[in-house]
Amino acid sequence: MFVGLSCIRTGIHHNPVLLLRYLPELFSFRTLHQTKAPYCNNRVQTDVGKDISTVSCVFFGQWPEENREKFTKDMRVFDQFVDEKEENSLLEEIDPYLKRLRYEFDHWDGAIHGYRETERKHWYPANRAILDRIVSVAFEGTAMPYVHVLDLAEEGVIKPHVDSVRYCGNTIAGISLLSDSVMRLVRTNDEEQTDEESRQIFTQERDNKYWADILLPRRSLYVMKHTARYKFTHEILTNQESLFRDKLIKKTRRISIICRNDP
């Protein structure tokens, strides 16, 4: 049986199993005190020949200005990173294998419900070119050879967590296929990170924190690094909570193809 999940769980082929702790429940959109700061919508010219928009987000809570500026540099979203033809090419390679797997709803660590996954090292040439493009945009150097593929069912959820620093480096980059979704990142205080290795223990006083909701459009690429990786929990919101700028963003089946670098 194959087991693998980038920084949350690792493949048995090249990493030991990670034991991570996760927050016991999803953050509630209704219970968090909402104070909106300005949206962040910047544009950059990349070397892949496209004018690609960076992170589209809404800030909540009392953000220190310095932290907000750092966050917008470390959490970016590139809209339309792949086109429809490229999306279909990726799906044609990975979907036949994924459909042979069952969706899992009772994983031992409770981090994800309604998912199936694999890791892949060898890709068709056209798809390898897409992955190389991710590396050129997201990483300062090379990425790990194994690419994680996570298939989240429409009713599937990813609970809030901070990735382990033991087996993954300072950057994660993922393409979102098939569906839009909303990712929430909530700041956690340094003093709450009682485990230096996994940084997984947090208090329950969530309404005293500040956070950002990030729109991940279909076919976009998100790049999460440095502060966004280590100082914030991240999660994919459920359809009951999935609002962005007061608009409901319905998540259907979502496949993410995730690259990361070495620790």
Side-chain angles (χ1 to χ4, degrees):
M1 178 180 68
F2 184 89
V3 178
L5 176 54
S6 66
C7 294
I8 300 175
R9 295 180 298 282
T10 56
I12 61 176
H13 299 293
H14 57 288
N15 284 325
V17 175
L18 285 177
L19 296 177
L20 302 181
R21 296 188 181 97
Y22 293 86
L23 293 178
E25 60 185 31
L26 290 172
F27 290 107
S28 171
F29 188 90
R30 294 179 298 275
T31 59
L32 291 173
H33 176 67
Q34 302 176 13
T35 304
K36 295 186 180 181
Y39 304 132
C40 44
N41 285 304
N42 302 315
R43 301 187 71 81
V44 295
Q45 183 71 32
T46 75
D47 58 1
V48 298
K50 297 180 181 179
D51 187 24
I52 301 174
S53 60
T54 65
V55 66
S56 182
C57 64
V58 182
F59 293 108
F60 298 87
Q62 303 301 318
W63 280 76
E65 185 62 30
E66 180 180 352
N67 289 10
R68 193 170 67 190
E69 291 178 0
K70 178 64 174 172
F71 180 85
T72 58
K73 295 178 181 178
D74 290 346
M75 181 68 208
R76 306 168 71 192
V77 176
F78 297 86
D79 195 19
Q80 292 297 313
F81 188 81
V82 296
D83 58 26
E84 184 177 359
K85 180 179 178 180
E86 291 172 320
E87 179 185 46
N88 289 335
S89 177
L90 290 165
L91 292 172
E92 286 172 2
E93 179 165 359
I94 61 178
D95 213 22
Y97 177 79
L98 290 172
K99 286 183 175 179
R100 295 199 297 267
L101 306 177
R102 294 185 310 164
Y103 282 112
E104 301 289 341
F105 291 88
D106 56 352
H107 193 271
W108 58 270
D109 65 8
I112 304 180
H113 295 273
Y115 73 98
R116 48 194 181 188
E117 63 183 348
T118 186
E119 284 188 335
R120 199 175 190 91
K121 183 177 182 180
H122 302 289
W123 294 78
Y124 298 155
N127 294 334
R128 180 75 259 174
I130 297 172
L131 298 174
D132 290 343
R133 204 163 79 223
I134 294 175
V135 174
S136 69
V137 170
F139 297 92
E140 299 174 358
T142 61
M144 297 174 70
Y146 282 89
V147 176
H148 175 231
V149 180
L150 177 64
D151 181 351
L152 195 64
E154 180 172 344
E155 67 275 25
V157 297
I158 300 178
K159 294 186 177 183
H161 64 280
V162 174
D163 292 327
S164 170
V165 299
R166 183 173 181 181
Y167 298 107
C168 297
N170 59 20
T171 302
I172 294 177
I175 296 177
S176 301
L177 305 180
L178 295 179
S179 176
D180 300 341
S181 60
V182 178
M183 177 184 286
R184 175 171 292 168
L185 292 95
V186 179
R187 181 65 159 88
T188 179
N189 298 326
D190 292 339
E191 58 269 22
E192 294 172 342
Q193 300 182 15
T194 59
D195 182 343
E196 181 62 23
E197 179 176 289
S198 60
R199 305 179 187 230
Q200 293 295 309
I201 302 176
F202 313 101
T203 70
Q204 301 302 308
E205 298 178 0
R206 299 168 187 159
D207 55 345
N208 294 329
K209 303 179 187 299
Y210 51 89
W211 69 100
D213 285 351
I214 313 294
L215 179 64
L216 302 180
R218 180 179 182 176
R219 306 190 191 107
S220 67
L221 172 75
Y222 72 84
V223 180
M224 182 190 306
K225 60 176 58 178
H226 303 305
T227 296
R229 282 270 287 112
Y230 301 133
K231 302 295 186 181
F232 291 79
T233 64
H234 61 273
E235 63 187 292
I236 297 294
L237 296 182
T238 66
N239 278 330
Q240 290 77 17
E241 298 180 303
S242 188
L243 295 175
F244 187 78
R245 299 184 184 178
D246 299 322
K247 178 182 178 181
L248 180 64
I249 306 297
K250 180 174 173 57
K251 178 184 72 65
T252 59
R253 180 192 179 202
R254 175 180 181 264
I255 294 178
S256 50
I257 298 179
I258 305 167
C259 300
R260 72 266 193 203
N261 58 355
D262 287 309

